Amino acid sequence: MFTDTHCHLLSDDYNNINEIINNAQKNKVNRFINNGCDRKANEEILNLINKYKEMYGAIGIHPTEIDDINDDDFDFIEKNIDKEKVVAIGEIGLDYHYEGFNKEKQQEIFRKQLQIAQNHHIPVIVHSRDATKDTIDILKEYTVSGIIHSFSGSLETAKIYIKMGFLLGVNGVVTFKNCNLKDVLKNIDLKNIVLETDSPYLSPVPFRGTKNEPKNVYVIAKFLSDLYKIDINDLATITNDNIKRIFDI
Ligand SMILES: [Zn+2]
């Protein structure tokens, strides 16, 4: 069985979450970490993890969702972070890709959430886009571990994150043509890798352009089992063991 360590299964994107979970189970994807990005998503995730046995939650404020947040949103995270099946603060981080976002505010909000994670001894799920250096520098200020979600950096960057105690989240991006991630991954031991989809985004080849679903973890697992020349069941065992090292799942 496989785990989707990073998806966004929310009613805004999916009319029928039951069906999405059934589709996943048919593809041997049996566990999910549903990631929040703002207050509304965080609240829905807390409800969904009560409803679905195989679903775990990460709650947090995404770096592109920081415009209207207030202290109450951090209190909400702090108040709910120790609840059963809430396994991480996420998705949090830095995104410098688009013009117009306030870097200083992103950094402040990232730090606030890292501080909560450190205080509560809970892992983080990190989004870092065009912001590698600041992400590494800020993470180093705290005693935290977790997942670098949608990792697509260089071998050197991968080694830094791994040394800091992070796992690398690999999704459909690895299947894209003209993507050199597979060459980087070949030099990284599988014990540092976890599987994810980032549903509804980043559908793998051959499903690009369609709405992604956790069932496609199987496509990514198959791609990696070919890349590493390892049996797909062994890959499932290794990546699930990796999750267990850091997450209370
Ligand atoms: Zn995401």
Side-chain angles (χ1 to χ4, degrees):
M1 73 151 213
F2 299 94
T3 308
D4 186 350
T5 62
H6 191 109
C7 53
H8 305 277
L9 294 185
L10 297 162
S11 53
D12 277 353
D13 288 301
Y14 300 99
N15 298 327
N16 189 341
I17 291 176
N18 275 330
E19 189 184 309
I20 300 297
I21 288 183
N22 285 337
N23 292 346
Q25 286 169 339
K26 281 183 206 145
N27 284 273
K28 298 184 180 172
V29 182
N30 292 346
R31 283 193 313 193
F32 318 89
I33 302 179
N34 203 356
N35 276 243
C37 58
D38 59 16
R39 175 67 173 268
K40 183 168 167 260
N42 292 338
E43 287 180 4
E44 187 177 350
I45 283 167
L46 293 180
N47 289 327
L48 289 171
I49 60 175
N50 282 329
K51 188 169 168 195
Y52 295 105
K53 192 163 93 14
E54 50 293 283
M55 187 187 288
Y56 296 82
I59 54 173
I61 309 290
H62 189 281
T64 61
E65 305 293 335
I66 61 176
D67 283 346
D68 304 314
I69 60 160
N70 53 52
D71 284 345
D72 189 50
D73 296 319
F74 297 105
D75 292 344
F76 181 85
I77 293 171
E78 184 118 46
K79 206 168 68 200
N80 289 291
I81 200 65
D82 294 321
K83 280 197 176 147
E84 206 183 336
K85 295 181 78 191
V86 178
V87 295
I89 297 189
E91 132 176 33
I92 64 172
L94 302 173
D95 193 319
Y96 298 167
H97 186 69
Y98 299 104
E99 293 289 316
F101 288 114
N102 183 330
K103 286 186 184 181
E104 284 70 37
K105 193 170 177 192
Q106 284 193 16
Q107 292 168 11
E108 180 197 323
I109 285 158
F110 189 28
R111 284 194 173 94
K112 268 192 186 173
Q113 297 181 94
L114 290 169
Q115 187 65 54
I116 298 173
Q118 180 177 288
N119 293 349
H120 290 257
H121 305 287
I122 190 152
V124 289
I125 297 178
V126 177
H127 171 107
S128 176
R129 193 173 187 197
D130 298 342
T132 303
K133 188 184 180 303
D134 285 355
T135 304
I136 291 170
D137 288 347
I138 292 175
L139 285 174
K140 278 186 173 166
E141 296 169 14
Y142 299 88
T143 307
V144 289
S145 63
I147 296 174
I148 306 298
H149 141 67
S150 197
F151 177 78
S152 58
S154 66
L155 181 59
E156 187 196 356
T157 303
K159 285 179 174 168
I160 293 171
Y161 283 134
I162 290 165
K163 207 171 164 198
M164 289 165 67
F166 282 85
L167 297 165
L168 308 178
V170 175
N171 56 39
V173 170
V174 75
T175 68
F176 296 176
K177 289 193 180 69
N178 308 321
C179 169
N180 69 352
L181 178 59
K182 51 186 170 300
D183 303 316
V184 172
L185 292 183
K186 267 191 252 174
N187 296 294
I188 299 288
D189 196 299
L190 257 186
K191 72 173 196 290
N192 303 299
I193 287 169
V194 289
L195 308 173
E196 60 169 57
T197 58
D198 203 18
S199 296
Y201 315 108
L202 300 178
S203 288
V205 173
F207 303 115
R208 284 191 80 175
T210 67
K211 188 179 281 186
N212 204 359
E213 291 185 30
K215 69 173 181 185
N216 289 330
V217 161
Y218 193 80
V219 177
I220 297 150
K222 179 78 183 64
F223 186 93
L224 290 180
S225 82
D226 292 342
L227 183 75
Y228 284 99
K229 298 181 174 57
I230 179 177
D231 181 84
I232 195 163
N233 295 313
D234 294 339
L235 184 119
T237 305
I238 293 169
T239 50
N240 282 328
D241 285 348
N242 297 342
I243 296 168
K244 234 183 290 170
R245 285 206 310 274
I246 293 185
F247 290 85
D248 184 18
I249 291 184

